[in-house]
Amino acid sequence: MTKLRMRQAVVHALADELECDPTVILLGEDIGAAGGAFKATEGLQERFGERRVRDTPISEMGFLGASVGAAATGLRPVVEMMFVEFIGVALDQLTTQAASFRYLSRGSYAMPLTLRAAVGGGLGFGCQHSQILDHWFRGTPGIHVVMPSTPQAAYGLLRAAIRSDDPVVVLEHKALYGERGEVELGDAGIIPLGRAATVTTGTDVTIVGLGRTVHTAVAAAAGANWTADIIDLQTIKPWDRACVLESVSKTRRLVTVEENSAPAGWGADIVDTVVGELWGNLSAPPHRITAPHIPIPYAQSLEDRYIPNAIYVHEQVTTLLDTGRRPAPWWEGRV
Amino acid sequence: MTKLRMRQAVVHALADELECDPTVILLGEDIGAAGGAFKATEGLQERFGERRVRDTPISEMGFLGASVGAAATGLRPVVEMMFVEFIGVALDQLTTQAASFRYLSRGSYAMPLTLRAAVGGGLGFGCQHSQILDHWFRGTPGIHVVMPSTPQAAYGLLRAAIRSDDPVVVLEHKALYGERGEVELGDAGIIPLGRAATVTTGTDVTIVGLGRTVHTAVAAAAGANWTADIIDLQTIKPWDRACVLESVSKTRRLVTVEENSAPAGWGADIVDTVVGELWGNLSAPPHRITAPHIPIPYAQSLEDRYIPNAIYVHEQVTTLLDTGRRPAPWWEGRV
Amino acid sequence: MSKQLQRRSELSTDLGRWLRMVEIRAVEECIQGLYTDGHVRGSTHLANGQEAIAVGIASIIRTTDTVTCTYRGHAFALALGISPEAVLGEICGRAIGCAGGVGGSMHLSDRTVGLMPTFAIVGAGVPVALGAALTAQTLGTDDIAVAVFGDGASNIGAIHESMNLASVWKLPVVFVVENNLYGEYSALRTTTPTDDLAVRAAGYDIPSLIIDGQDIDVVRASTIEAVARARSGQGPTLIEAKTYRYSGHSRSDPATYRPDGELALWMARDPIDIASKALSSTVIEARRAAVLRDVQEAVATVLRSPPPELSAAFEHVTSTLGPDA
Amino acid sequence: MSKQLQRRSELSTDLGRWLRMVEIRAVEECIQGLYTDGHVRGSTHLANGQEAIAVGIASIIRTTDTVTCTYRGHAFALALGISPEAVLGEICGRAIGCAGGVGGSMHLSDRTVGLMPTFAIVGAGVPVALGAALTAQTLGTDDIAVAVFGDGASNIGAIHESMNLASVWKLPVVFVVENNLYGEYSALRTTTPTDDLAVRAAGYDIPSLIIDGQDIDVVRASTIEAVARARSGQGPTLIEAKTYRYSGHSRSDPATYRPDGELALWMARDPIDIASKALSSTVIEARRAAVLRDVQEAVATVLRSPPPELSAAFEHVTSTLGPDA
Ligand SMILES: Cc1ncc(C[n+]2csc(CCOP(=O)(O)OP(=O)(O)O)c2C)c(N)n1
Ligand SMILES: Cc1ncc(C[n+]2csc(CCOP(=O)(O)OP(=O)(O)O)c2C)c(N)n1
Ligand SMILES: [Mg+2]
Ligand SMILES: [Mg+2]
């Protein structure tokens, strides 16, 4: 085990895949000598050369499209999108082209494309550089979506993503890049796609988090008068039904915690599934904790309030357990 | 009342707004002399001139962006995207630029932008010209999304969209363009955004449909041994909570019917809300009827099976009511 | 040798190329009828009049090279070697189609001859071609990629980004713009400020050629030049081929927007006629009849053949995780 | 007259323009300190060295014209007339900020001086500027739009589409590319095959000018020419202004990728120095001191002022339907 920051874990994952598979290449803006806007590719160009670690012009449609073509013809491109919002100028190549390439070619072409993107709020980047936007990808068949919560998950999920023969979107929360954790490197550290991880076990409620909200949930549970199965979803699509259902079968209560607003957040599909599968076996309505449906404000006090924090999650869960009813969100009456 | 096809109702709505407001303009590919790929702008260029009904180059980012700028500075542009998938090359302008313009300018700039797009399957256009894709827009604060089911709704919602000072996405199902219905023209025919319509009333179940699935639901209920409140959602975002909740309070059962697959479909947020608000007052788990999570296949037999049809909806609802449990989808075991 | 590779090798002679153009024309002529009879759904886009470009290029490049092409892809699919059965089967949604009937007219492909699923989104195939070129460059093969697009597509952002990227990275790619004067119902001059599109290449420091797309020998000569440049590591070339589609944009377009006489002018320079000049007329008439017979047989085969099984819709959605469950 | 309009009118003299450049430089110098002290969050992008472009253009166009500009927007915001308090307030997330503190450094705006919320997505503002031009053209006013972007942005699709569209529609727009030789950490020559970006204009039949962006009189002269063309219905112009940013790309960039001596070379042609040549040195020294004092006061005002109320986050999300509930 090695103690690493999440950004370093990403570097390690990329280096290990570059090392063991000569078809892996990296593309992105300023990922070479500069090591990436979040320094998650630091040192890789020096080590693997300019052919395999390529700085691109500011042409997201162009280099994402080129990655689609490269993936179809024998490379395993890993694309860095500096901020997930930038995919808004290139979405077609992911959700229309990459996603259906295998299908339309009846499996002749594989699509081992990995798209890494920095996501999430809390750092004052403003409303156009702080979203999660997993909903842009979640509705498209043929694509997998993962989001690590720890350096280990960043390492393990990214390696699995690169090895997958399908397009995988890896959403890295920018507030976690600096966080440290022990990482098991090497093949043993790889985390298969599609599997959630149970972070803590408890009896009263199942809390499902993703990326940063896993930590929020853990902090919310500390010192609470309830105990929780806290599940780190890890893969948003396809999410791990077996893990979540098994836990909620036991706890009879579900709370999802996400940094998205409600209308297209990932929690809804989980609530829906749990309601369907465990109808009659639930002691409280499954509950989603989200952010309000407003652009992410810049000023610190506002942004801090926007993102669900541990105190809020603690209150929400406690009320749910106490009353058996869903508590109102903090912004009720404001919208 | 006038009997019109849906495409004609669209033409009427556009003509009426062009007529009564000189700031309304239309932009899109081949919407002028050609009258649009689906003939939903037929005759308008001849009537209102080339300045107000503009054919564009194939530059979705360019002309959608230009529409954003025009909307901010005093026009009311109505953009036609021939197929909704094409927004994949221009999404940024809608969800990042248009959506936050008002917010970031503290209300100085309004954003009366209407984006019409043809959506939906069933006509053999293949997997890249047949999706609904409302999930691309549903997660973004600041945008409204509507989808008409009838010529009247197409007329009334489009006029409301053009009059709105916010970006409104109007999703027109291409299989409905040729459908006829009586239309109340004029201001009385305008349908406010955010309101659902109750199409039939019943006692056993509330079925929420959107666009074409409203008709599927109606056909499914014909001759059934149950009766339903069938609700035409009309506006997907923000959807009409009051209408749906009132109905489900009465029927105690909810079914949503959509042409999307489950992972990012609009039904999940409705199920979630109903579960939260009516917990303890439901006689069966709220249930979503969707399409499978696969690309939309071309061959007729496959595409016909892909889209939820009346027989399938009938079976699903009947089983739900009979058993009080969710029935499995038809594709279970295949995925 | 597979049937497709066999068919591809037939393009090595003037006669073989001429016959392929004849075949393409005949196949497309059948499509209108199949459409009227309800066998073709959605939309379909004919390339009649443009055959010399597809066949000319296919006769020069290798089967390990990659082609990205548009929804107007019947000509390229047949030229590259896909059989009439597989093309018509796909268009009619049958299991024998080259995509098993799940793709349709806009998504023809066969990896064994280098044709990626043709692209239904304008411009989308162009950066993807760069990717195939990037693979070749990275792995050190001398394969190349050909990106085919239309005049209307020239105004979309993906193409600008691709030209720049290909130039900076010196990718082995040949850009081919089929300038048939119209993008859907819009004449080029209403959407584009210049008559020639090749003028844009200079802005990316890319060499360009403006050619007569109706003369297959001209197409071949310029392809040889561009391909040689690409294979030898000297980077991209833009070929603008002036051409014309005899039909409307798609099956629902009567093309009334065209000025009187324009079609006749272009038909007077029909690529099949032009190519026939070099051939003996007795030989070609017999061979033409055989091709037409084969195409009729292919149509019959397709119409006798079954649609895909329902299970086909669930296959190849993803690799390991099943249909993305 | 509002403070902003007053400030804008001050650009009518050489001295007024020089002082505005001094102010911009001073404001930006404060930002680094504010950042270090934790008052500035996220990212912020200085335009020091590029002041002549912003002030030159602002001194020519009208307040009813529209400007779309990038995240590197402090110079344009101040030049167009927004006060240092409103700019610094926004950067520091205070209620007195021009976006009430909800936007941040990348989203400065004030409609009364024609500045749309500055664009944080590369290239996004360019088609939006076309829209303002379209409004003017449609309503028959003679207002124009100015689209400002960087050399790196030149390679993004939105700009290609915009150039073509503006040319076909003869829109009253002036494209201004601030070629400061770098896009983030990448030198122009590594991302773009030509040294000049203006060469691309020919592909759209757009007239272009390559100018010295450090000399405000040159900027003004070329702006006058381009604006006249736009206002009189003759369509777009592309101005490529060669310039340089003295700082790194954003607050976290030490700019180690620049060759030794390059910065010094450019600083030797500092736009404020160049503009000072025409002015009496005794006058300007006194006035400079006053400006610096005012900027210090603005900083103090900002630091004393409160953050936005929580309710601000819920306002202006939509118009009638409330915050998109
Ligand atoms: C992004 C996008 N926009 C619009 C369309 C609709 N469309 C399909 S073909 C076409 C015209 C393309 O014209 P051109 O590039 O000249 O090719 P041609 O059809 O003439 O071969 C258009 C607008 C599309 N498929 N994708
Ligand atoms: C679509 C998009 N891609 C990437 C970025 C990240 N980014 C912000 S500024 C920048 C460099 C832009 O360079 P240039 O256009 O030269 O402008 P400059 O910063 O030099 O003024 C990049 C890559 C972005 N904001 N948007
Ligand atoms: Mg064309
Ligand atoms: Mg720059």
Side-chain angles (χ1 to χ4, degrees):
Chain A
M1 303 283 268
T2 320
K3 193 142 191 146
L4 297 173
R5 292 190 195 275
M6 191 173 94
R7 79 171 90 253
Q8 297 169 311
V10 172
V11 173
H12 274 276
L14 295 170
D16 289 354
E17 288 299 322
L18 282 160
E19 185 69 48
C20 72
D21 183 347
T23 68
V24 173
I25 62 163
L26 313 189
L27 301 94
E29 290 159 10
D30 295 310
I31 64 168
F38 294 99
K39 301 279 177 269
T41 56
E42 203 159 45
L44 295 175
Q45 187 178 65
E46 209 176 336
R47 184 161 156 207
F48 296 98
E50 293 192 3
R51 279 273 159 118
R52 296 187 65 199
V53 180
R54 291 194 183 234
D55 280 331
T56 64
I58 309 175
S59 308
E60 280 80 4
M61 185 73 93
F63 67 79
L64 182 55
S67 302
V68 170
T73 50
L75 299 184
R76 292 186 172 273
V78 184
V79 178
E80 175 171 298
M81 286 282 169
M82 205 181 289
F83 289 82
V84 73
E85 282 86 353
F86 305 167
I87 300 176
V89 303
L91 188 68
D92 179 71
Q93 285 294 338
L94 177 69
T95 60
T96 309
Q97 310 312 328
S100 58
F101 226 94
R102 170 184 294 273
Y103 194 75
L104 291 174
S105 69
R106 300 285 78 197
S108 303
Y109 291 100
M111 192 44 61
L113 170 71
T114 302
L115 198 168
R116 299 176 41 245
V119 304
L123 300 182
F125 282 101
C127 69
Q128 298 182 358
H129 281 64
S130 300
Q131 301 167 83
I132 308 281
L133 295 181
D134 55 278
H135 65 269
W136 281 0
F137 323 120
R138 219 171 349 100
T140 302
I143 296 177
H144 312 305
V145 186
V146 305
M147 185 163 171
S149 63
T150 61
Q152 180 69 63
Y155 177 82
L157 291 170
L158 180 52
R159 290 201 61 189
I162 298 172
R163 287 167 176 228
S164 167
D165 279 333
D166 302 320
V168 183
V169 179
V170 182
L171 304 175
E172 296 168 357
H173 200 299
K174 54 185 95 74
L176 297 179
Y177 277 126
E179 295 298 306
R180 285 170 196 275
E182 293 290 343
V183 181
E184 161 108 60
L185 297 173
D187 289 359
I190 295 177
I191 298 173
L193 304 183
R195 300 266 185 79
T198 303
V199 178
T200 69
T201 54
T203 54
D204 304 308
V205 61
T206 299
I207 307 181
V208 178
L210 182 72
R212 193 153 74 130
T213 68
V214 174
H215 304 286
T216 313
V218 169
N225 61 2
W226 39 263
T227 63
D229 271 6
I230 298 181
I231 293 176
D232 179 351
L233 208 53
Q234 298 190 135
T235 298
I236 320 175
K237 175 171 181 295
W239 60 274
D240 190 340
R241 290 165 59 103
C243 174
V244 172
L245 290 173
E246 195 190 338
S247 170
V248 183
S249 303
K250 177 187 74 176
T251 63
R252 303 171 65 94
R253 294 181 192 86
L254 169 73
V255 173
T256 62
V257 188
E258 61 185 306
E259 215 178 286
N260 293 311
S261 63
W266 51 261
D269 191 47
I270 297 184
V271 166
D272 172 62
T273 300
V274 164
V275 164
E277 298 291 325
L278 299 176
W279 187 250
N281 299 304
L282 297 169
S283 304
H287 181 50
R288 297 167 66 197
I289 299 175
T290 69
H293 194 52
I294 58 174
I296 302 174
Y298 167 70
Q300 175 137 27
S301 52
L302 273 48
E303 188 176 20
D304 285 353
R305 176 72 274 205
Y306 172 88
I307 295 170
N309 61 32
I311 298 171
Y312 176 59
V313 171
H314 175 88
E315 284 168 10
Q316 288 266 309
V317 175
T318 303
T319 307
L320 180 77
L321 300 196
D322 285 353
T323 64
R325 319 292 303 181
R326 281 193 186 172
W330 63 262
W331 61 85
E332 186 154 273
R334 291 185 183 274
V335 287
Chain B
M1 302 282 267
T2 321
K3 193 143 191 142
L4 297 174
R5 293 190 194 276
M6 191 173 95
R7 80 171 90 253
Q8 297 170 310
V10 172
V11 173
H12 274 277
L14 295 170
D16 289 353
E17 289 299 321
L18 281 159
E19 186 68 47
C20 73
D21 183 347
T23 67
V24 173
I25 62 163
L26 314 189
L27 301 93
E29 291 159 11
D30 296 310
I31 64 167
F38 294 99
K39 301 279 177 268
T41 56
E42 204 158 43
L44 296 174
Q45 188 177 63
E46 208 177 336
R47 183 161 158 207
F48 296 98
E50 294 192 2
R51 279 273 157 117
R52 295 187 66 200
V53 181
R54 289 193 184 235
D55 281 330
T56 63
I58 310 175
S59 309
E60 281 79 4
M61 185 73 94
F63 67 79
L64 182 56
S67 303
V68 170
T73 52
L75 298 185
R76 292 187 172 273
V78 184
V79 178
E80 174 171 299
M81 286 282 170
M82 205 180 292
F83 289 82
V84 73
E85 282 85 353
F86 305 166
I87 301 176
V89 303
L91 189 68
D92 179 72
Q93 284 295 339
L94 177 69
T95 60
T96 310
Q97 310 313 328
S100 58
F101 227 94
R102 170 183 294 275
Y103 194 75
L104 292 174
S105 69
R106 300 285 79 195
S108 303
Y109 291 99
M111 191 45 61
L113 170 71
T114 302
L115 196 168
R116 299 175 41 243
V119 305
L123 300 182
F125 281 101
C127 69
Q128 298 181 359
H129 282 64
S130 300
Q131 301 168 83
I132 308 281
L133 295 180
D134 56 278
H135 64 270
W136 282 359
F137 323 119
R138 221 175 342 105
T140 302
I143 295 176
H144 313 305
V145 186
V146 305
M147 184 162 171
S149 63
T150 61
Q152 181 68 64
Y155 178 82
L157 290 170
L158 181 51
R159 289 200 63 188
I162 298 171
R163 288 168 175 227
S164 167
D165 280 333
D166 301 321
V168 183
V169 179
V170 182
L171 303 176
E172 296 168 357
H173 200 299
K174 55 184 94 75
L176 298 178
Y177 277 126
E179 296 297 308
R180 285 170 194 277
E182 293 290 342
V183 180
E184 162 108 61
L185 297 172
D187 288 0
I190 295 177
I191 298 173
L193 304 182
R195 299 264 187 79
T198 303
V199 178
T200 70
T201 54
T203 54
D204 304 307
V205 60
T206 299
I207 306 181
V208 179
L210 182 72
R212 192 152 74 131
T213 69
V214 174
H215 304 286
T216 313
V218 170
N225 61 2
W226 40 262
T227 63
D229 271 7
I230 298 180
I231 293 176
D232 179 350
L233 208 52
Q234 297 190 136
T235 298
I236 321 176
K237 176 173 182 292
W239 59 274
D240 189 339
R241 291 164 58 104
C243 174
V244 173
L245 289 173
E246 195 190 336
S247 170
V248 183
S249 303
K250 178 187 74 175
T251 63
R252 303 173 65 94
R253 294 181 193 87
L254 169 73
V255 173
T256 61
V257 187
E258 62 184 305
E259 215 178 287
N260 293 311
S261 64
W266 51 261
D269 191 49
I270 298 184
V271 166
D272 172 63
T273 300
V274 164
V275 164
E277 297 292 324
L278 298 176
W279 187 249
N281 299 305
L282 298 169
S283 303
H287 180 50
R288 297 167 66 198
I289 298 176
T290 69
H293 194 52
I294 58 174
I296 301 174
Y298 168 69
Q300 176 139 25
S301 52
L302 273 49
E303 188 176 21
D304 285 352
R305 177 71 274 205
Y306 171 89
I307 295 169
N309 61 34
I311 297 172
Y312 176 60
V313 171
H314 174 88
E315 284 167 9
Q316 288 267 308
V317 174
T318 303
T319 308
L320 180 78
L321 299 196
D322 285 353
T323 64
R325 319 292 304 182
R326 282 193 186 172
W330 63 264
W331 60 86
E332 186 155 273
R334 292 185 184 274
V335 287
Chain C
M1 198 195 275
S2 75
K3 182 167 176 197
Q4 296 96 301
L5 295 182
Q6 168 63 39
R7 281 171 53 78
R8 181 72 160 269
S9 70
E10 289 163 13
L11 303 187
S12 58
T13 65
D14 282 336
L15 179 62
R17 293 188 287 272
W18 184 83
L19 289 170
R20 187 60 50 82
M21 290 198 279
V22 168
E23 177 191 275
I24 293 168
R25 183 72 57 87
V27 166
E28 293 208 311
E29 271 161 16
C30 293
I31 292 172
Q32 193 61 43
L34 289 167
Y35 177 76
T36 311
D37 293 348
H39 298 297
V40 183
R41 308 177 67 230
S43 201
T44 189
H45 310 81
L46 306 188
N48 46 9
Q50 307 187 181
E51 295 88 349
I53 302 169
V55 177
I57 292 172
S59 72
I60 302 295
I61 63 174
R62 303 177 187 154
T63 54
T64 50
D65 294 332
T66 295
V67 177
T68 68
C69 160
T70 73
Y71 48 86
R72 194 177 305 289
H74 311 149
F76 267 95
L78 293 162
L80 290 167
I82 307 182
S83 71
E85 288 81 3
V87 167
L88 288 166
E90 193 55 41
I91 295 173
C92 294
R94 309 297 165 119
I96 57 164
C98 57
V102 307
S105 163
M106 296 201 280
H107 302 296
L108 308 175
S109 86
D110 188 328
R111 190 174 184 172
T112 68
V113 295
L115 184 63
M116 286 183 166
T118 55
F119 291 79
I121 303 295
V122 164
V126 181
V128 176
L130 264 58
L134 183 61
T135 298
Q137 188 186 69
T138 306
L139 300 182
T141 71
D142 66 350
D143 290 334
I144 62 138
V146 178
V148 183
F149 55 97
D151 49 289
S154 306
N155 294 324
I156 206 158
I159 281 169
H160 166 72
E161 298 189 8
S162 298
M163 297 264 177
N164 183 67
L165 195 57
S167 177
V168 194
W169 286 356
K170 282 213 170 308
L171 291 174
V173 59
V174 180
F175 296 105
V176 177
V177 49
E178 298 183 304
N179 184 348
N180 61 12
L181 304 183
Y182 295 88
E184 294 211 339
Y185 320 107
S186 293
L188 181 63
R189 87 198 94 76
T190 65
T191 58
T192 313
T194 59
D195 287 332
D196 295 331
L197 298 161
V199 296
R200 292 185 181 168
Y204 312 102
D205 198 24
I206 293 180
S208 65
L209 300 162
I210 297 179
I211 67 162
D212 175 5
Q214 305 311 87
D215 185 334
I216 190 168
D217 291 329
V218 172
V219 172
R220 281 165 51 81
S222 56
T223 305
I224 288 171
E225 178 185 334
V227 166
R229 186 174 291 128
R231 281 209 213 289
S232 60
Q234 295 172 78
T237 305
L238 172 67
I239 298 176
E240 176 178 359
K242 307 281 192 185
T243 186
Y244 201 74
R245 56 165 159 76
Y246 294 164
S247 304
H249 166 69
S250 66
R251 49 87 188 159
S252 55
D253 169 23
T256 49
Y257 44 80
R258 303 197 290 206
D260 278 352
E262 188 179 80
L263 175 61
L265 226 66
W266 281 92
M267 288 184 86
R269 299 202 65 254
D270 183 75
I272 300 179
D273 287 351
I274 293 177
S276 70
K277 304 265 154 70
L279 302 167
S280 127
S281 59
T282 41
V283 174
I284 65 178
E285 277 321 309
R287 299 292 299 271
R288 180 207 291 266
V291 165
L292 299 187
R293 219 170 30 240
D294 289 352
V295 169
Q296 286 312 326
E297 241 166 61
V299 171
T301 305
V302 164
L303 291 182
R304 271 194 313 269
S305 81
E309 301 284 337
L310 184 53
S311 57
F314 292 84
E315 287 159 10
H316 305 301
V317 179
T318 64
S319 57
T320 49
L321 287 165
D324 203 14
Chain D
M1 199 194 276
S2 74
K3 183 168 176 196
Q4 295 97 300
L5 296 182
Q6 168 62 38
R7 281 171 52 78
R8 181 70 160 270
S9 69
E10 288 164 13
L11 303 186
S12 59
T13 65
D14 283 336
L15 179 62
R17 294 188 286 272
W18 184 83
L19 288 169
R20 186 60 49 81
M21 290 198 279
V22 167
E23 177 190 275
I24 292 168
R25 182 72 56 85
V27 166
E28 293 209 309
E29 270 160 17
C30 293
I31 292 172
Q32 193 61 43
L34 288 167
Y35 178 75
T36 311
D37 293 347
H39 297 297
V40 184
R41 309 177 67 229
S43 200
T44 190
H45 310 81
L46 305 188
N48 46 11
Q50 307 186 178
E51 295 89 349
I53 302 169
V55 177
I57 292 172
S59 71
I60 301 295
I61 64 174
R62 305 178 187 154
T63 53
T64 51
D65 295 332
T66 295
V67 177
T68 68
C69 160
T70 73
Y71 47 86
R72 194 177 305 289
H74 312 150
F76 268 94
L78 292 161
L80 289 167
I82 306 181
S83 71
E85 287 81 2
V87 168
L88 289 165
E90 194 54 41
I91 295 172
C92 294
R94 310 296 166 120
I96 57 164
C98 55
V102 308
S105 163
M106 297 201 277
H107 302 296
L108 307 176
S109 87
D110 189 329
R111 189 173 185 172
T112 67
V113 294
L115 183 64
M116 286 184 167
T118 56
F119 290 80
I121 304 295
V122 164
V126 181
V128 176
L130 263 58
L134 182 62
T135 299
Q137 190 186 68
T138 305
L139 301 182
T141 71
D142 66 349
D143 290 335
I144 62 138
V146 178
V148 184
F149 55 96
D151 49 290
S154 306
N155 294 324
I156 206 157
I159 281 169
H160 166 72
E161 298 189 7
S162 299
M163 297 264 177
N164 183 66
L165 196 58
S167 177
V168 194
W169 286 357
K170 282 213 170 308
L171 291 174
V173 60
V174 180
F175 296 105
V176 177
V177 48
E178 299 183 304
N179 184 348
N180 62 11
L181 303 182
Y182 294 89
E184 294 212 340
Y185 320 107
S186 293
L188 181 63
R189 86 197 93 77
T190 66
T191 59
T192 313
T194 59
D195 287 333
D196 295 331
L197 298 161
V199 295
R200 292 185 181 166
Y204 311 102
D205 198 24
I206 293 180
S208 65
L209 299 162
I210 297 179
I211 66 163
D212 175 4
Q214 305 310 88
D215 184 333
I216 191 168
D217 291 329
V218 171
V219 172
R220 282 166 50 83
S222 56
T223 305
I224 288 171
E225 178 185 333
V227 166
R229 187 173 292 128
R231 280 207 214 289
S232 60
Q234 295 172 77
T237 305
L238 172 67
I239 298 176
E240 176 179 358
K242 307 281 192 186
T243 186
Y244 202 75
R245 57 165 158 74
Y246 295 165
S247 304
H249 166 70
S250 66
R251 49 87 188 158
S252 56
D253 169 23
T256 50
Y257 44 80
R258 303 197 290 206
D260 277 353
E262 187 179 81
L263 174 61
L265 225 64
W266 280 92
M267 289 185 87
R269 299 203 63 254
D270 184 76
I272 300 180
D273 286 352
I274 293 177
S276 70
K277 304 266 154 69
L279 303 166
S280 127
S281 60
T282 42
V283 173
I284 65 177
E285 277 322 309
R287 299 293 298 270
R288 180 206 292 269
V291 165
L292 299 186
R293 220 171 31 242
D294 289 352
V295 169
Q296 286 311 326
E297 242 167 59
V299 170
T301 305
V302 164
L303 292 181
R304 271 194 314 271
S305 80
E309 301 284 338
L310 185 53
S311 58
F314 292 85
E315 287 158 11
H316 305 301
V317 178
T318 64
S319 57
T320 49
L321 287 165
D324 201 15

